[in-house]
Amino acid sequence: MNAARLPSVAPEVTATLVEGLSPRLRKRLDVAVTKLAARPTHRDGDTTTIDVDDETELRLHAPGGVVAKVEDITCRCLLAPACVHRAAAACAAPAADLAPEPAEQATPEAPGPASATPPAATLGPDAARSLGLDVAPASGPGTAPAPTTDTAANAALGLAPHVTPNPAPDLASPPETASPDQRAAADVLWAAGAAVLEAGVDGAGAVTQSALLRAAHTARLRHLPRAAGAALSVVTLLRAARAGDPSYRTADLVTALAELLGTAHRVGTASGAEMAAVRGRVRRPYSPDGSLRLYGLFTEPVVTDSGHGGVRTWVAGADGRLFTVGDVAPGGAGRALGVADRAVRLGDSALTHRELGRAGLAVSGATVSPDGRLGAGKAVKAVTARGVAWTDPPLAALWETPPAEQAARALRSTSRYADRDGTGSDLLFLHVELLGAVREPGGTCLLALCEGGVRVWLTVSDDDPALAHRDNLALLAAAPGARLRIIGRLIPATQPRLTLLACTHPTGEGTVDLGLDRLRRADLPDPSASAHFAPPQTAGPGGSSPLYLLERRVEQTVAAGRAALGLLGDVTAETRRIRRGGLPTAAALLTALSASAAQRERDLFGRLLPADTDGFAAYWLAAARYTAAVSESLCAAAWNPMDEDPAAVPPVPVHGAAG
């Protein structure tokens, strides 16, 4: 049974069913989930039936595609409704997206002074001093450490900037802070996240996931959708890891777990605008943007791990702003290919997505979300207009910004733990000369030279054989010396790296949507050429950085849990190497993290006391946030022009592109 074949189940439904099990059945829950996953299922309308055995059926009723009530999961076994099957089915199904916040909210409590995060989520002065960092005297119990002069240390220890609001001129309207209920919900989220670190992927079974789902539901009711969404992401990734999903990456779970713990930590200290960012939003707001003249750039297929497929078409305004029009729904790669030739859902336009990527639109009554998505409300009017080539205004201006500036902008947009304001884009627009293919452990990528002598590694955005990415990249590798304009999505790495999305045609006629359009060998300057492999390349500025030694321990904790990390032994050699690499804060964090993992105290009778899961989680979070900050700095540095005579780096002329 594929989990994608089951309807989504509301987080509170799964949590309630698991909490209702007896201790004996909870121990059997993970085994029950595995057994149930092997049973056949069939769907009839809104009801999905699982054959538990030859005589027993389990039914999930999902009006609207979501199981919203506990009563909607029924079982016909003799032990029902107190059986393990109902909880196992809920745990095997995907977690439903968070419902919108209740329309009618309780009268908010009068905001009080910013409260420090409780000791469970605080890296206190003693812990900070153990890292060799200065800490200002506390002004009260639980006060967060003062910022230090070490930027990396601030990123590591602060977990988020500690905001001390200036006295408001109007004392009747102090900055917004978290309510007691919100701080309590944040404490529960922190505890649930710390439990995942304690257990690791192998130990974070259905019961641990249920605690996360309950915490997410409570956080949503307390109007903390950002933290609730992070908890759901952790559950989804834990399930993917335990199921052996080939698309699962430990780094993704590290990011989700650090986002959960970091957001929970900040709830107690944030105020004003920071509190609004920490709280987040459930719905994507669309605001009026008047009349827009839009010019098509390209269309990319979108295929998600959850089984959804579709396309996203990128357009630019006359002022250079980027917008998107999308159509994504359940269906996978097959749907993505089909939707590309369907009409765009925007006003009265009859353009398909493929056509819009090369044409234009005139829109009146436009509505736009903060991340640039165009709304398709009834009041929006859109008619087809003329497009322009990438070499003509206003699109040509997108390629005029230096690559380093574009990379810095994209990093601000993709930063793992930044407060999302929805602005900015992770796309880069580059002039390149193709150098050939480069073999890597994960496959082959395309090497190109861009402005300033910077070498850029170009990879495919999706390996699905139904899409054209891989075949097109292989053909382009057979055209060394070709000079193109490209559009790619930044991959944060210690070397300049992009996923290649679109380019000018090698013949100079038009453009190519590399996920949808298929190049032919006849399109190459030399149709008889085969793939050219460039010489091995040296790593970028951060390629030899010992930061990976700390990153490896951060990931090992997520995979195996705190106890396993504590058994890995002495890290003196590793910390010495990290210090030689110029990262003393990283060395101090590794020392503290390993010591905290191994620390277990005993009582007067020699019995082991419970581990300090909160303290360990704080050290782990500091290490995760620090490695992310340093990695992003190394990525930005990699895009700086080579330190050589500008005359030695010839400009890269580019073929024109017809609209």
Side-chain angles (χ1 to χ4, degrees):
M1 178 184 68
N2 189 332
R5 296 175 56 191
L6 295 178
S8 299
V9 178
E12 63 270 24
V13 171
T14 303
T16 299
L17 289 172
V18 173
E19 291 163 359
L21 294 176
S22 66
R24 180 179 63 86
L25 291 180
R26 287 192 186 189
K27 294 179 180 179
R28 296 171 49 191
L29 182 55
D30 288 327
V31 175
V33 172
T34 302
K35 289 182 177 179
L36 206 62
R39 302 301 302 170
T41 67
H42 54 90
R43 181 173 297 183
D44 182 11
D46 291 335
T47 301
T48 299
T49 302
I50 305 174
D51 297 328
V52 178
D53 53 41
D54 294 339
E55 300 178 354
T56 305
E57 288 184 343
L58 180 66
R59 293 183 177 179
L60 293 84
H61 181 58
V66 176
V67 178
K69 297 184 296 184
V70 173
E71 298 79 22
D72 288 339
I73 302 181
T74 58
C75 183
R76 295 186 178 181
C77 74
L78 296 177
L79 297 178
C83 62
V84 74
H85 302 134
R86 298 171 69 217
C91 293
D97 291 337
L98 292 171
E101 294 184 2
E104 297 181 3
Q105 300 182 6
T107 303
E109 301 181 30
S115 171
T117 305
T122 299
L123 193 61
D126 292 339
R129 292 191 183 95
S130 72
L131 300 180
L133 301 171
D134 296 330
V135 179
S139 59
T143 303
T148 71
T149 57
D150 186 339
T151 302
N154 288 339
L157 285 178
L159 313 179
H162 180 71
V163 178
T164 304
N166 293 325
D170 182 6
L171 298 179
S173 302
E176 176 193 10
T177 59
S179 69
D181 283 346
Q182 287 177 323
R183 289 195 290 271
D187 289 347
V188 175
L189 285 166
W190 174 276
V196 174
L197 284 177
E198 181 70 16
V201 168
D202 290 340
V207 174
T208 301
Q209 295 166 25
S210 170
L212 280 166
L213 292 173
R214 174 61 71 191
H217 176 62
T218 302
R220 181 186 68 83
L221 295 179
R222 300 293 181 262
H223 315 303
L224 296 173
R226 176 175 174 178
L232 287 188
S233 296
V234 172
V235 172
T236 300
L237 289 166
L238 282 173
R239 290 177 175 177
R242 293 172 61 85
D245 189 331
S247 65
Y248 166 77
R249 295 173 62 251
T250 301
D252 292 338
L253 182 53
V254 168
T255 298
L257 193 53
E259 167 69 8
L260 169 62
L261 292 171
T263 304
H265 170 89
R266 294 174 64 189
V267 166
T269 59
S271 63
E274 186 190 1
M275 182 61 202
V278 171
R279 185 176 60 247
R281 290 190 295 252
V282 173
R283 294 181 181 272
R284 179 181 293 107
Y286 285 82
S287 57
D289 207 342
S291 297
L292 297 172
R293 178 65 169 91
L294 304 174
Y295 302 88
L297 280 166
F298 72 100
T299 299
E300 63 171 320
V302 177
V303 181
T304 69
D305 296 337
S306 60
H308 289 65
V311 294
R312 181 188 299 116
T313 298
W314 290 81
V315 296
D319 58 356
R321 283 190 298 161
L322 299 181
F323 303 90
T324 60
V325 183
D327 184 348
V328 180
R335 185 179 188 279
L337 294 173
V339 169
D341 294 312
R342 294 183 189 174
V344 174
R345 299 174 182 174
L346 194 66
D348 300 323
S349 172
L351 291 173
T352 67
H353 281 274
R354 284 182 193 264
E355 293 169 340
L356 176 58
R358 294 172 173 85
L361 279 178
V363 183
S364 63
T367 58
V368 183
S369 72
D371 60 357
R373 299 193 187 193
L374 292 169
K378 294 181 179 180
V380 178
K381 306 296 181 183
V383 295
T384 303
R386 182 181 63 87
V388 299
W390 287 2
T391 52
D392 296 334
L395 298 186
L398 296 171
W399 278 264
E400 294 175 359
T401 303
E405 291 184 25
Q406 294 191 54
R409 179 207 64 213
L411 274 172
R412 289 192 295 270
S413 173
T414 61
S415 181
R416 279 176 271 181
Y417 308 116
D419 293 335
R420 300 283 185 240
D421 60 5
T423 60
S425 165
D426 57 358
L427 299 185
L428 271 69
F429 302 82
L430 304 177
H431 304 269
V432 301
E433 177 181 344
L434 302 184
L435 301 179
V438 175
R439 291 188 177 92
E440 294 187 321
T444 301
C445 69
L446 183 61
L447 188 67
L449 183 70
C450 74
E451 181 182 341
V454 176
R455 286 176 168 79
V456 183
W457 280 253
L458 305 174
T459 68
V460 298
S461 63
D462 197 308
D463 268 321
D464 195 308
L467 303 177
H469 293 292
R470 178 60 64 186
D471 293 340
N472 284 335
L473 187 134
L475 278 176
L476 291 174
R483 289 166 174 161
L484 309 172
R485 290 182 185 233
I486 66 169
I487 302 176
R489 178 168 287 116
L490 179 72
I491 301 175
T494 56
Q495 57 187 201
R497 203 172 188 89
L498 301 176
T499 55
L500 189 57
L501 301 173
C503 69
T504 50
H505 199 283
T507 63
E509 298 294 330
T511 61
V512 183
D513 295 339
L514 290 166
L516 299 172
D517 304 328
R518 289 191 178 272
L519 290 169
R520 298 174 299 174
R521 190 164 293 277
D523 296 325
L524 302 181
D526 181 3
S528 64
S530 59
H532 172 77
F533 284 86
Q537 301 297 310
T538 58
S544 59
S545 170
L547 182 68
Y548 77 92
L549 295 171
L550 178 58
E551 290 177 321
R552 182 176 61 182
R553 298 303 190 193
V554 168
E555 292 192 359
Q556 286 174 337
T557 303
V558 170
R562 180 198 58 78
L565 184 66
L567 296 175
L568 292 178
D570 185 41
V571 296
T572 302
E574 295 178 21
T575 56
R576 187 182 301 115
R577 181 177 174 185
I578 292 174
R579 290 183 187 278
R580 286 201 303 266
L583 298 172
T585 302
L589 282 168
L590 178 56
T591 300
L593 182 66
S594 300
S596 180
Q599 183 179 11
R600 289 297 302 272
E601 298 181 355
R602 296 179 181 272
D603 62 14
L604 295 176
F605 299 98
R607 296 171 297 193
L608 282 174
L609 295 172
D612 181 12
T613 57
D614 291 329
F616 176 74
Y619 282 117
W620 181 89
L621 177 56
R625 295 291 298 268
Y626 174 89
T627 55
V630 175
S631 295
E632 290 167 6
S633 296
L634 293 174
C635 177
W639 284 91
N640 289 326
M642 301 289 288
D643 186 15
E644 56 187 68
D645 183 1
V649 182
V652 183
V654 182
H655 290 301

